[in-house]
Amino acid sequence: MRLPMDLQNTRFLDACRRRPVDRLPVWMMRQAGRYQRSYRAVRGEVAFLELCRSPELIAKVTCAPIDEFGFDAAILFSDILVHLPAMGLQLSFEKGEKGKGDGGPKIANPVRTRADVDALRVPSPERDLPYVLDGVRAINAGLAGRVPLIGFVGGPFTVASYAVEGGSQGFTRLKTMLYADPAGAHALFEKLTQAAIVQIEAQIAAGCHAAQIFESWLGELDREDLEAFAFPYLARIAEAVRKAGVPSIFFGTGLSGHLERIAQLGYDVVSVDWRIPIDEARRRAPGVAVQGNLDSTVMLSTAEASVRKALAICKAAGPAPGYIFNLGHGIQVGTPEENVKAVVDAVHAFRWK
Ligand code: CP3
């Protein structure tokens, strides 16, 4: 494993550990994506899953936003669903409608019965996903220690929502399963938790310096169901990352009502969306670092509006160590690149005085 000592820029990792930093670290979810000219050029040549399966292209698109915008961390280019074929699910990504941006995931044989759950195989990353691990090594070669690399996996509920619904079609079938067949739902979450743990361990062993868990749709559940069907599994993933020795970040949306509880799951950093003021998030989660929380929609407007909103967040976050600037959710297709650059530069220029 590449040690953080080899890194020239440690401000992201320092903030994860709630250590003082020279400037606020900034990175953005989906910082490699269709809003970038350079990414669209790559996607003009290869389909999305083909891109995810090429270590060389993974390295190219992961490093591009570091070169172009000066982010303080890179995030592995991949997807939270790439392991589903190895688990037995037929995954494809549909082409986006013209002018409408990205296409969505489709699963031809979604998980509907207990037998479907039992048939799922926990993948072996080295055997089934070698291109991800080769991608991690190729990225670190390309970054040459300029910034740390964040690995990631999907949270069990969010991955299950695609596995069960068969695409981006809501949550009704999965939520119905929780009540109609709780044992089946637990068996599904157990397999997806094991799959998440082996993948994140392999990414860290290959050279990732931090790990983010994307649980984008967990805000769908109430507290009772979070406690029963989500938090125990998420705590196990946090523990696996802790044992692997790198900082862990929990990402979710629509979960502000549960922030105190989420801060106790064992993650070093909790990422929050714009539905909670950042100062309130920091007050309510004193034991962890906080990441967030600009509404990415703002960056579809002007550089001035984006910078104004970004600086208001930096100011509200306060001087205490343990804050990482990010968005509440990923950068959107159609975001002007100059707005992204303006926000990165403004966050770096910000001083809490
Ligand atoms: O953040 C990053 O830059 C790292 C790469 C990354 C992607 N997907 C690339 C991607 C990460 C961390 C993800 C996670 C992911 N994938 C999530 C959780 C985060 C979130 O946004 O809520 C989810 C729910 C998925 C599943 C997924 N992948 C969907 C629903 C879609 C299509 C619609 C969309 O949101 O873009 C994808 C495709 C996808 N994953 C693209 C990218 C850059 C667009 C593909 C393209 O080039 O056309």
Side-chain angles (χ1 to χ4, degrees):
M1 189 176 79
R2 183 183 279 267
L3 295 171
M5 256 120 68
D6 300 342
L7 291 167
Q8 291 140 40
N9 174 348
T10 60
R11 66 176 74 99
F12 162 76
L13 293 174
D14 289 336
C16 288
R17 301 287 194 207
R18 288 184 292 145
R19 294 181 186 136
V21 288
D22 59 342
R23 306 166 178 199
L24 288 178
V26 47
W27 72 280
M28 294 183 192
M29 290 173 277
R30 289 286 172 93
Q31 64 192 21
R34 294 252 290 251
Y35 79 99
Q36 281 175 298
R37 228 164 287 126
S38 61
Y39 179 86
R40 289 194 301 272
V42 174
R43 281 284 279 107
E45 303 292 323
V46 296
F48 176 64
L49 276 178
E50 222 181 303
L51 168 50
C52 290
R53 289 172 181 157
S54 159
E56 190 190 314
L57 292 178
I58 289 173
K60 183 173 174 173
V61 302
T62 301
C63 295
I66 308 307
D67 301 333
E68 293 169 9
F69 306 106
F71 291 112
D72 294 298
I75 179 162
L76 166 65
F77 190 86
S78 186
D79 198 85
I80 62 166
L81 307 177
V82 286
H83 62 299
L84 292 186
M87 296 191 78
L89 299 179
Q90 293 157 36
L91 171 72
S92 60
F93 280 83
E94 309 221 304
K95 259 201 136 125
E97 280 173 65
K98 238 190 163 174
K100 278 204 149 177
D102 300 329
K106 279 275 168 298
I107 286 150
N109 56 338
V111 175
R112 294 286 158 81
T113 65
R114 179 60 197 261
D116 294 339
V117 173
D118 293 340
L120 292 172
R121 295 180 297 272
V122 174
S124 153
E126 292 75 13
R127 185 190 62 213
D128 300 320
L129 304 159
Y131 47 86
V132 174
L133 308 179
D134 289 339
V136 169
R137 289 182 276 263
I139 295 164
N140 276 331
L143 292 174
R146 282 177 292 156
V147 292
L149 174 61
I150 304 167
F152 72 90
V153 289
F157 180 84
T158 299
V159 175
S161 74
Y162 293 97
V164 170
E165 307 290 341
S168 311
Q169 287 142 10
F171 309 94
T172 310
R173 283 178 201 270
L174 176 58
K175 289 177 74 169
T176 303
M177 189 194 274
L178 305 187
Y179 313 114
D181 181 14
H186 276 295
L188 174 60
F189 293 136
E190 176 62 37
K191 283 215 171 142
L192 294 177
T193 299
Q194 290 177 21
I197 288 173
V198 293
Q199 287 180 90
I200 204 65
E201 285 175 345
Q203 289 176 22
I204 295 165
C208 287
H209 304 97
Q212 178 153 318
I213 312 310
F214 282 89
E215 196 56 296
S216 312
W217 311 132
L218 195 59
E220 277 295 309
L221 296 186
D222 70 14
R223 178 62 72 89
E224 181 189 3
D225 297 336
L226 288 169
E227 292 289 356
F229 292 104
F231 290 160
Y233 299 104
L234 289 166
R236 274 169 55 195
I237 299 171
E239 175 65 8
V241 177
R242 195 189 61 73
K243 282 199 180 128
V246 304
S248 58
I249 309 168
F250 174 83
F251 167 80
T253 67
L255 287 163
S256 313
H258 312 287
L259 185 56
E260 289 83 352
R261 182 67 184 88
I262 286 170
Q264 294 165 357
L265 291 176
Y267 290 86
D268 298 294
V269 185
V270 174
S271 198
V272 295
D273 69 24
W274 58 92
R275 294 172 181 91
I276 180 172
I278 201 79
D279 47 332
E280 188 181 324
R282 297 203 76 194
R283 260 198 318 277
R284 286 175 46 197
V288 297
V290 170
Q291 172 177 282
N293 68 346
L294 181 67
D295 179 352
S296 61
T297 312
V298 175
M299 290 203 309
L300 288 171
S301 66
T302 63
E304 293 69 35
S306 304
V307 165
R308 183 180 66 75
K309 296 283 270 187
L311 291 178
I313 291 169
C314 294
K315 193 163 180 217
Y323 169 64
I324 298 155
F325 185 91
N326 204 313
L327 308 175
H329 209 153
I331 300 184
Q332 297 184 35
V333 178
T335 299
E337 295 185 61
E338 52 273 26
N339 294 1
V340 175
K341 181 74 177 125
V343 169
V344 172
D345 289 347
V347 173
H348 279 159
F350 177 82
R351 296 288 183 281
W352 217 95
K353 291 230 168 66

